[in-house]
Amino acid sequence: MEYAFFEGDFVPIESANINIKTNSFHYGTAIFEGLRAYWNDREKQLYILFAREHYDRLLRNAGALFMELPYSVEDLVSITRELLIRNEVRQDVYIRPIVYFRDLALTPKLIGYTPEIAIYTYNFGRYLDTSQGIRVKVSSWRRNDDNSIPSRWKVAGAYINSALAKTEALMAGYDEAILLNSQGYVAEGSGENIFLIREGRAVTPAYNEHILEGITRNAVITLLKNELLVNVEERAVARSELYTAEEIFLTGTAAEVTPVVEVDNRRVGKGKIGEITAQLQDIYFRAVRGEIERYRSWLTPVYEK
Ligand code: PMP
């Protein structure tokens, strides 16, 4: 039996349904998260990656939309562990929590409604091709401006922007879109942050470039600095830098560390996964599975030992 956490209880996934009149379904006034848990076969243990960081972001984003839930970060981490145990998950899994207004009401507003949280799991492997790298296209759609629809929050309605860009890229035969912000600087992918390697240094759009404040972005900055001894510059990145970068990769919970081998029909570097990207992937994939002792603090074990 597959369960979801829905309206305060663990229920069979088939019963975790909302009414079509649900307010947030109409206006996109929901906040969601995406987490991964990785199966370590040698230890027979499932590790949730950055559980606290994701639930902390969820509660802060929800708070900004006046959605006060009766749960703490710790409560949500234990609910997620219980859900994974009930679903007997013994493989890599994706976890999707979503906070929404359950009210059957018409007005698009954020006050006077009742927030609810649902959490469910997905069995899914790679989101993008991490082993060969991907081809990307600079989108004709601009990233939504933080002063219109906050790009730094994971707000459901904002994902029309991602959907338009991703669809345009897929229909043109590419794997992913890169969105520029309204000032014309590089923002991010449709569901990933972006890094460039230039003259041996890593460059990534700063927080004020209308991007999501990615949790993987932070982890990767740590790994670049501490493990690979690569400097990281957080700044405005011009579109033209994409065409001369030595390496490019995307980061995200779903995308993990995805190499970009082509941008707008121009090869990135040699058109193959770059050296720094490959080393970063190796460390990242070992860290998230609990294979590097000093990054165990990133992980929450699910099963009691
Ligand atoms: N940007 C966007 C637009 C995203 O949807 C995501 C996925 N959450 C990311 C970046 C990467 O964020 P994180 O590393 O926290 O998953």
Side-chain angles (χ1 to χ4, degrees), residues 5-20:
F5 184 74
F6 182 69
E7 299 186 348
D9 268 316
F10 295 95
V11 302
I13 189 74
E14 297 78 22
S15 317
N17 301 313
I18 59 161
N19 189 298
I20 56 163

Side-chain angles (χ1 to χ4, degrees), residues 57 143 154 159 188 190-193 212 214-216 251-253:
R57 184 169 69 184
R143 181 79 175 114
K154 276 188 80 66
Y159 278 78
E188 58 186 334
S190 71
E192 311 86 17
N193 292 110
L212 188 91
I215 291 168
T216 319
T251 65
T253 304

Side-chain angles (χ1 to χ4, degrees), residues 213-278:
E213 297 182 346
I215 291 168
T216 319
R217 177 184 178 280
N218 277 347
V220 159
I221 290 175
T222 302
L223 294 180
L224 284 166
K225 288 183 179 165
N226 295 356
E227 303 291 326
L228 304 179
L229 309 180
V230 169
N231 251 318
V232 183
E233 288 174 23
E234 299 179 53
R235 60 162 171 85
V237 177
R239 173 183 188 161
S240 55
E241 292 184 79
L242 296 172
Y243 304 144
T244 55
E246 291 136 42
E247 303 182 27
I248 299 179
F249 56 86
L250 304 180
T251 65
T253 304
E256 303 168 304
V257 176
T258 298
V260 173
V261 293
E262 203 183 298
V263 185
D264 288 343
N265 305 310
R266 292 152 176 97
R267 274 194 323 236
V268 179
K270 299 195 173 66
K272 293 201 301 254
I273 301 181
E275 216 170 286
I276 293 175
T277 310

Side-chain angles (χ1 to χ4, degrees), residues 184-197:
Y185 290 101
V186 175
E188 58 186 334
S190 71
E192 311 86 17
N193 292 110
I194 187 168
F195 286 78
L196 287 66
I197 303 294

Side-chain angles (χ1 to χ4, degrees), residues 24-183:
S24 288
F25 174 57
H26 295 261
Y27 305 115
T29 48
I31 292 284
F32 69 97
E33 267 303 327
L35 296 83
R36 272 189 192 264
Y38 289 88
W39 177 244
N40 181 318
D41 198 51
R42 196 168 46 81
E43 296 175 21
K44 304 289 177 219
Q45 181 59 278
L46 185 66
Y47 287 113
I48 312 175
L49 178 62
F50 295 124
R52 274 169 210 86
E53 289 79 355
H54 282 281
Y55 282 118
D56 184 60
R57 184 169 69 184
L58 182 81
L59 291 183
R60 282 173 197 277
N61 287 186
L65 298 191
F66 302 107
M67 296 167 145
E68 294 301 332
L69 291 170
Y71 304 107
S72 65
V73 167
E74 291 310 319
D75 295 337
L76 295 173
V77 174
S78 6
I79 290 169
T80 304
R81 281 187 61 205
E82 185 170 347
L83 179 65
L84 293 166
I85 291 168
R86 282 182 184 245
N87 285 346
E88 299 175 20
V89 178
R90 287 191 171 73
Q91 62 182 85
D92 295 355
V93 71
Y94 187 78
I95 303 151
R96 168 54 56 84
I98 183 160
V99 182
Y100 57 95
F101 290 122
R102 59 178 295 170
D103 308 72
L104 312 183
L106 270 181
T107 313
K109 62 181 173 76
L110 303 169
I111 48 173
Y113 292 151
T114 312
E116 193 61 75
I117 182 166
I119 310 176
Y120 59 94
T121 61
Y122 258 119
N123 291 336
F124 106 135
R126 299 276 93 90
Y127 179 65
L128 293 165
D129 189 340
T130 49
S131 60
Q132 303 290 315
I134 61 164
R135 300 173 57 242
V136 304
K137 175 188 182 346
V138 172
S139 185
S140 68
W141 295 96
R142 291 294 170 101
R143 181 79 175 114
N144 44 270
D145 194 278
D146 197 62
N147 284 310
S148 304
I149 299 175
S151 38
R152 65 181 77 241
W153 305 339
K154 276 188 80 66
V155 43
Y159 278 78
I160 185 64
N161 184 232
S162 294
L164 286 166
K166 178 85 178 181
T167 303
E168 180 188 62
L170 291 175
M171 289 180 78
Y174 298 84
D175 303 304
E176 185 54 283
I178 303 300
L179 291 106
L180 307 182
N181 61 31
S182 50
Q183 282 83 47

